[in-house]
Structures are given as C-alpha cells and as structure tokens.
Amino acid sequence: MYINGQWLTADEQIEVVNPAVNEVIATVPKGGAGEASKAVDAAYEAFTSWSKKTAGERAELLMAWYRLIDENKEEIGRIMTEEQGKPLQEAIGEVTYANSFISWYAEEGKRIYGETIPASDPKKRLFVSRQPVGVVAAITPWNFPAAMITRKVAPALASGCTAVVKPASATPLTALKLAELAHEAGIPNGVLNVVTGDSKSVAGAWMEDSRVRKVTFTGSTEIGKVLMKQAADTMKKVSLELGGHAPFIVTAHADIEKAAKGLIGSKFRNAGQTCVCANRVYVHESIEKEFIEAFKAEVKTLKVGNGMESGVNIGPLIDKDAVEKVQSQLEDAKSKGAVVEMGGETKGNYVTPAVLTNVTDEMDCMVDETFGPLAPITVYRTTEEVIKRANNTPFGLAAYVFSEHLSEAIEISEGLEYGIVGLNDGLPSVAQAPFGGFKESGLGREGGHHGMDEFLEVKYISLGL
Ligand SMILES: NC(=O)C1=CN([C@@H]2O[C@H](COP(=O)(O)OP(=O)(O)OC[C@H]3O[C@@H](n4cnc5c(N)ncnc54)[C@H](OP(=O)(O)O)[C@@H]3O)[C@@H](O)[C@H]2O)C=CC1
Ligand SMILES: O=C(O)[C@H](O)CS(=O)(=O)O
C-alpha cells in the first residue's frame, strides 16, 4: 500500500493470480479500515497545499507522471497482462489510453473557468467560481487496471482534489506501479494514496468518513447501488460507471465489412470483458446471412492464448467464475434453440470466441451482461422494432449502429436510450469525450470537460459594494 508517500505492509496478504496459468505471481498487503483511515488522514492533510497550487504547477507534476508512465509503458503492460490476462499489445494500448487522461486533464485543469453575473442591484457584483470538492475516494475494477484509475485520479488531481484509491483485489499491481511512478514524478505525499485490501472494510471506512467528499466508482451495478446508498449518510458527491448490455445494430444499409470489423473490436476487446462490449447483435433480416458469413470470417482470424505470446488476440477471462458465466449463458441459449456457429470451447480460463445465431430475446445472454467472448445474433425487421428491443433493458451505457443511410442512422441513434452511441464505430472511448450511462448503468460522466465537473463544487459569491 502507498499511503502518504510511504510503502506500508499488513499482517495479512492478498494473493495475485495470473489468470493465464492460474498461478500466484505476487502478494499485496490486505489493508483494512485502519489503513483506509490513515490514507484519508494523508489526503485530507495534503488537500490544503495541493489545492493552493496553481493549475499550472499541478499540470507540471501530472505531466512528469505522464512521461514516466510513457517511458515505462512496456513494463506496466507486462504487469497488467500477468495480473489481468489481456494480450500484451492490448495492455500497452491501455497504458497509452490511461495516460491520455493524465495529459488531457493536466491541460483541462487550467480551464476551470468561473463567471460573473449581471446584478439586479447596482450595489452588488455577482461572481461564480468552481472549487475542488476535497478528498476523493476512487474504487476501481479489474478489467482496466490502469485506465479506470487515471480516468478518475487525473481530473481529481488536476482540479486540486486529493485521492484515496482502492484497486480491484485481482489487479492491484498495476495500481501500485502507477503510484510508484507518481511518487517518482514528485507528486507530493498524501495527494495520491493506494490502499489494497478488503473492499468492504476499506471502502466502508471511506464511505463513513465525512472528510471524503466524493466517491467515484467503476464496477458492477450491484456494488454501485451499495455505494450510492452509503454515500447518502454524509452526502458525498457520487460518480458511478456501472454495468452495461450494449446492443449492436446492423441495418440493411450497413457497410457489411465495416460492421463485421466493428463488431470484432467491440465484442472481443479484453476477451469481451468491458462494460461497453457489444452484448447482443441485431441484424436486419435482409442481410442476415451475408453479415454472419462476414463476421465468422473475421472471428476465424482471432488467436486465443496466453497474452504474453505474440499474435494473441484473446487472452483468458479473469477467473473461473467468469468462464462459468459464459458457459451458463451458452448452454441456456442452446437449450432455447440457438445455433452455435463456432467457438464456445473452454480450457482453464480460456473461452474461444463464440458466435450464436437463431437467437431470441428470451435467452439469458440477451438480458444479462455476459462479460465474455459470446456474440449472440438475432434478426429484426423494422427500425421501430429494433429501437424498442434495444432499449428493453435496465442498462443504458453503450450502443452501436452500423448504417450508411444518414437519416436512418440519426433516427436510430436518437432513439437509443444510451449514454454512448458508436455510429459506424465500435470503439468510441476517448479521454476528451464524456463516458457514462443512462438508467442503471450509472451516474455522472468521466472524460471530457464533463468529467472535470464531477470533482468541482460551484460557489456563488455575492459582493455588496
Ligand atoms: N461502466 C464501466 O465503465 C464499467 C463497469 N464494469 C462492471 O463491473 C463488473 C465487473 O467488474 P468487477 O470488478 O467484478 O465489479 P465489482 O463491482 O465486483 O468490483 C469493482 C470494485 O468494487 C470493489 N468492491 C466489491 N464489493 C464492494 C463493496 N461491497 N463495497 C465497496 N467496494 C466493493 C471491488 O473490490 P474487490 O476487487 O476487492 O472485490 C473492486 O475494486 C461488470 O458488471 C461490469 O460491467 C466494469 C468496468 C467498467
Ligand atoms: O471498464 C470498462 O469497460 C471501460 O470503461 C471501457 S473503456 O472506457 O475502456 O471503453
């Protein structure tokens, strides 16, 4: 654990397992409520001086961190592949993606503008400023061990906030490496703290602590709801990036090859373990066979294996529970009439990319988040039908539409109840754009100037002359 610029241990340890080979590769301290509170002490103490630095001074330190991360991206990538499983090139790509939040927010921190408001009383002047909220608690998932941390910590620190971070227990090593580089970059003690350990004890202590003014979480909707309820006791600001169930719509006017490649990118990134992965595919009946053949041809090119091997596209899932969930959805779909066109074989934590056809909305994979390499394809007939079916879910994070017909594409995009729409684009996530969901996919946005607002309080100053 990295608290107040110090590396701390604990009596108990948490084992870190390489999902590719199911072997323990490291242990990290199992912190609890005591360490959690110590981290808040440090962050609270550091807040005064850190928030009084100029945005330019904070930006310089963030960019020093950025440069060290960039210089070490291969090493960080290897750490990530070994603890999370994603192929090395994809892991290095995530480090670059994670770093883009640091560089983007280092600059954005210099643009936290206020405003003056014309007074209705000539003897008054009205001002509005935006100030850092204070100590931020960030709780992050295992599927993007670097990006889900910097997507929170970069805007928090750039705005003048300080942070306490609890990474997923499955993937703490990446977080600790990022902390080591932050220390080396000269980010002052207490500004960034990383506590590894029992999530309920660590997060529980943070949620009860009134000094923590903001909680930002990425993970399951189930845990997001727990945190939202806990936040109410001390009225913390809340940002939640939760589960998804993305529809992927291929219309009669789609560029078939572009759609097939777009689905490969959306569905099989991180072996299907992202909250914005296509989870159900709706293909217009008129192009069903043509699209399925094009998609299967692309799937055949995917290589499954240990992420450290060159040329591997699909690594292992995070653990056996994840494999069992995919297997369960596959068996359920088959029992309800789905045809397995290819894939779905399992060995250890590996699952070969599966393509299902003859799918109906009653199958579990069309309702529950898969978080694995399973592509269920169903057909639709009208635009009205597909919008209705695509929206028939409690989730609302990402959706995809492939159509070369402008008015059709706009009509569907506008009709979808989702925070992110990939229009002829299977990979929409970038640092400069707002990422977040409608409905039970979350609250708030990360990325872009919207993502900075999550760490700011608006203050109105009325000056009597
Ligand atoms: N919208 C988005 O951007 C994303 C959403 N997700 C969603 O998250 C799920 C998969 O990720 P996964 O990591 O398993 O999600 P979880 O919600 O189980 O875990 C996320 C984080 O929350 C912690 N946590 C678990 N239980 C509690 C608790 N009771 N109180 C406080 N913190 C807790 C975990 O710690 P520990 O590891 O120690 O248990 C981990 O750090 C999927 O539903 C996926 O869709 C995932 C990534 C991105
Ligand atoms: O954890 C996730 O799934 C990420 O939010 C997806 S993305 O931002 O990397 O697209």
Side-chain angles (χ1 to χ4, degrees):
M1 293 171 283
Y2 175 72
I3 299 175
N4 202 22
Q6 304 291 317
W7 293 98
L8 306 182
T9 188
D11 295 340
E12 288 187 75
Q13 296 286 307
I14 297 173
E15 292 184 339
V16 182
V17 173
N18 179 339
V21 292
N22 270 330
E23 289 171 6
V24 175
I25 54 174
T27 64
V28 296
K30 186 176 184 180
E35 290 76 15
S37 296
K38 194 176 292 184
V40 175
D41 293 346
Y44 190 74
E45 177 69 26
F47 175 69
T48 303
S49 55
W50 180 251
S51 59
K52 286 190 172 3
K53 283 185 182 294
T54 66
E57 290 168 334
R58 292 195 293 266
E60 284 177 14
L61 286 163
L62 285 169
M63 288 309 294
W65 189 26
Y66 170 90
R67 288 188 291 274
L68 285 171
I69 290 171
D70 189 54
E71 288 164 15
N72 293 276
K73 63 184 175 211
E74 282 79 14
E75 181 189 356
I76 302 168
R78 279 192 295 277
I79 291 169
M80 190 187 300
T81 296
E82 289 186 356
E83 68 175 351
Q84 196 270 342
K86 68 180 68 176
L88 182 57
Q89 285 315 306
E90 189 172 335
I92 294 169
E94 183 193 328
V95 177
T96 300
Y97 173 54
N99 228 4
S100 70
F101 288 98
I102 295 174
S103 57
W104 202 86
Y105 279 108
E107 278 307 304
E108 191 66 9
K110 300 174 186 174
R111 293 167 185 77
I112 298 176
Y113 301 134
E115 60 189 281
T116 58
I117 302 170
S120 47
D121 179 334
K123 291 192 176 300
K124 289 189 179 183
R125 296 296 180 268
L126 313 184
F127 306 95
V128 177
S129 70
R130 296 191 297 159
Q131 297 177 347
V133 70
V135 174
V136 172
I139 302 166
T140 57
W142 49 260
N143 61 342
F144 286 82
M148 291 310 101
I149 289 177
T150 59
R151 193 160 81 175
K152 300 168 180 5
V153 167
L157 270 52
S159 67
C161 295
T162 53
V164 293
V165 178
K166 199 213 76 65
S169 295
T171 56
L173 303 178
T174 303
L176 294 172
K177 185 64 184 179
L178 292 176
E180 176 192 314
L181 296 175
H183 186 82
E184 190 179 334
I187 291 178
N189 295 345
V191 171
L192 173 63
N193 306 275
V194 176
V195 180
T196 53
D198 176 71
S199 54
K200 285 185 179 171
S201 306
V202 171
W206 290 346
M207 297 310 284
E208 289 173 2
D209 194 324
S210 60
R211 295 174 298 172
V212 172
R213 297 311 317 141
K214 163 83 183 184
V215 57
T216 170
F217 171 76
T218 295
S220 63
T221 294
E222 174 198 359
I223 302 306
K225 289 180 177 178
V226 168
L227 294 171
M228 187 170 176
K229 289 172 184 165
Q230 290 175 335
D233 290 344
T234 52
M235 289 304 290
K236 298 183 195 326
K237 284 168 76 85
V238 178
S239 294
L240 302 172
E241 298 292 349
L242 307 179
H245 202 272
F248 189 103
I249 300 165
V250 185
T251 80
H253 302 287
D255 176 320
I256 299 287
E257 185 178 351
K258 187 192 294 186
K261 290 184 186 300
L263 182 55
I264 289 287
S266 170
K267 177 66 256 186
F268 297 117
R269 177 171 165 239
N270 202 7
Q273 300 171 117
T274 94
C275 54
V276 292
C277 283
N279 213 112
R280 45 199 161 114
V281 184
Y282 297 93
V283 178
H284 190 270
E285 60 179 355
S286 63
I287 53 150
E288 179 191 13
K289 294 198 178 346
E290 186 185 359
F291 177 75
I292 289 171
E293 288 316 308
F295 181 52
K296 285 168 65 177
E298 294 292 341
V299 175
K300 286 191 178 95
T301 67
L302 299 175
K303 182 181 174 188
V304 178
N306 187 318
M308 295 304 275
E309 292 167 17
S310 66
V312 164
N313 312 99
I314 308 273
L317 300 194
I318 190 69
D319 58 25
K320 68 177 171 53
D321 289 347
V323 173
E324 287 168 3
K325 181 175 185 182
V326 175
Q327 280 177 317
S328 167
Q329 288 195 355
L330 188 64
E331 292 310 315
D332 170 78
K334 285 161 61 177
S335 73
K336 292 172 183 172
V339 173
V340 181
E341 297 283 341
M342 60 191 296
E345 297 87 12
T346 61
K347 183 177 180 183
N349 290 335
Y350 296 94
V351 181
T352 57
V355 179
L356 304 184
T357 54
N358 198 42
V359 168
T360 62
D361 289 356
E362 289 69 39
M363 297 171 183
D364 289 352
C365 56
M366 297 294 278
V367 177
D368 298 327
E369 186 174 40
T370 302
F371 238 58
L374 181 67
I377 301 173
T378 189
V379 296
Y380 78 93
R381 289 162 188 77
T382 68
T383 298
E384 182 185 10
E385 172 203 335
V386 76
I387 290 173
K388 186 175 179 186
R389 290 171 68 187
N391 287 335
N392 183 26
T393 170
F395 293 110
L397 188 57
Y400 304 89
V401 186
F402 277 73
S403 170
E404 301 296 322
H405 189 294
L406 183 60
S407 55
E408 175 188 65
I410 294 300
E411 179 188 1
I412 297 174
S413 301
E414 291 179 345
L416 290 168
E417 298 165 356
Y418 290 83
I420 304 164
V421 175
L423 179 47
N424 295 330
D425 178 8
L427 298 168
S429 305
V430 289
Q432 62 269 38
F435 182 107
F438 292 10
K439 302 194 279 188
E440 296 193 28
S441 284
L443 283 177
R445 292 296 182 269
E446 295 186 321
H449 70 82
H450 302 269
M452 182 64 95
D453 295 344
E454 303 287 348
F455 298 95
L456 297 169
E457 290 282 20
V458 173
K459 177 177 283 181
Y460 158 47
I461 300 168
S462 174
L463 170 62
L465 301 176

